[in-house]
Amino acid sequence: MPQTPEFGRRVIVTCDAKGYGGSDELTQHQFQEAIPALLGIAAVNSGLDRKEWHIAPGGDGEMAVLPATAQETHLLDRYVPEVEYALRRHNHNRTEAGRLRLRMVVHHGSAVHSASGYSGNGIVTAARVVDSDALRAVLEGSGADLVVAVTAPVHQDVVSQGHTRLRPEDFVLTTVRNKEYEEPVWVHVPGQRPVSGQVHADDRGDGATRTTAPVPAAPERSAPGRGHRESSAVTNVVHGDVDASNATFGVRY
């Protein structure tokens, strides 16, 4: 008799390499070797045991279902920085064509265990987000080695509640949209200052993909120099003629 598959909710981490399909065979082979090696190093350095993960490898990435004890906070606070660091070291002095750049998604959703692995809506969601034009646009525009998207359950339960070192303002809201799927995700670029506004990509059924880039945030003001004293701005409005031939104007610090 067929048995009911084992249902559960798990943390799901998936990643994909930029430009894999357009690379030559030697570069593809190098990517295939580098991805599991770098992720393995990052896991060890962050205190995670990938032997406990159910990993479905792909040529340009992997889909991993983590054990029930896995916590999103550990992934965001320790694993993600180690992945970014491993990629940075790997890409040092490499040409642009040989540079390994990853899109990563951290999701918490349904994962149904079966003899051949895992299935379920959580798996589908993670796969759609990591392969979305919206996430591709952020990676392309940032020039970074790694971008990380978190889905609504992770953002609402972990990031916005202050359970991670990352702040809500460290993420940019992005809409992943295609013919049968539309969901918000939040994207973080390690080591870069976030930008304001939304970026989204959608397929409206006419074969065209539209992407709206975010608006850069206003630059931060530099710290005042030594001895600088803040003062309120003063504006004088004068009606009529003013004789200022002998006036002296100055600024005192």
Side-chain angles (χ1 to χ4, degrees):
M1 287 181 63
Q3 297 181 346
T4 302
E6 179 186 348
F7 171 80
R9 294 188 182 278
R10 300 290 187 87
V11 176
I12 302 164
V13 181
T14 184
C15 67
D16 236 346
K18 178 184 183 297
Y20 179 86
S23 302
D24 57 42
E25 293 180 356
L26 179 57
T27 302
Q28 290 179 351
H29 178 73
Q30 292 173 343
F31 282 3
Q32 288 181 4
E33 288 188 330
I35 291 172
L38 296 177
L39 296 180
I41 292 172
V44 169
N45 291 341
S46 57
L48 294 170
D49 186 0
R50 276 170 58 89
K51 296 177 183 176
E52 298 179 349
W53 299 12
H54 179 90
I55 300 173
D60 55 351
E62 66 175 38
M63 173 80 70
V65 178
L66 278 59
T69 56
Q71 296 183 354
E72 298 96 314
T73 53
H74 197 149
L75 290 166
L76 294 175
D77 288 346
R78 300 179 64 181
Y79 182 62
V80 165
E82 290 292 345
V83 173
E84 191 276 333
Y85 178 62
L87 284 170
R88 180 154 40 96
R89 287 180 61 88
H90 174 79
N91 290 330
H92 181 67
N93 285 338
R94 290 183 181 267
T95 64
E96 187 62 29
R99 184 178 167 206
L100 178 58
R101 303 172 66 191
L102 294 180
R103 305 182 306 276
M104 178 177 288
V105 175
V106 179
H107 177 51
H108 187 271
S110 60
V112 180
H113 185 266
S114 63
S116 58
Y118 281 89
S119 61
N121 187 61
I123 304 295
V124 175
T125 296
R128 281 173 168 164
V129 175
V130 80
D131 195 40
S132 67
D133 289 321
L135 199 54
R136 292 176 188 273
V138 176
L139 181 62
E140 180 68 28
S142 68
D145 294 325
L146 175 70
V147 296
V148 181
V150 299
T151 55
V154 178
H155 187 270
Q156 293 169 4
D157 296 341
V158 179
V159 177
S160 65
Q161 298 301 318
H163 296 306
T164 174
R165 294 175 183 176
L166 295 173
R167 302 165 299 176
E169 53 265 34
D170 292 325
F171 293 80
V172 173
L173 176 61
T174 301
T175 301
V176 173
R177 180 182 296 129
N178 59 32
K179 296 178 182 178
E180 56 184 18
Y181 180 85
E182 180 177 344
E183 291 292 339
V185 297
W186 287 259
V187 185
H188 171 62
V189 183
Q192 291 193 13
R193 183 186 175 205
V195 291
S196 61
Q198 276 192 348
V199 55
H200 69 269
D202 61 280
D203 179 0
R204 302 181 184 177
D206 58 3
T209 299
R210 301 165 177 81
T211 302
T212 303
V215 179
E220 296 180 350
R221 294 180 60 185
S222 58
R226 178 176 298 181
H228 177 78
R229 181 174 61 185
E230 294 287 349
S231 61
S232 302
V234 177
T235 302
N236 294 321
V237 179
V238 181
H239 300 281
D241 296 333
V242 177
D243 182 5
S245 57
N246 296 317
T248 301
F249 297 92
V251 178
R252 184 179 66 182
Y253 292 93

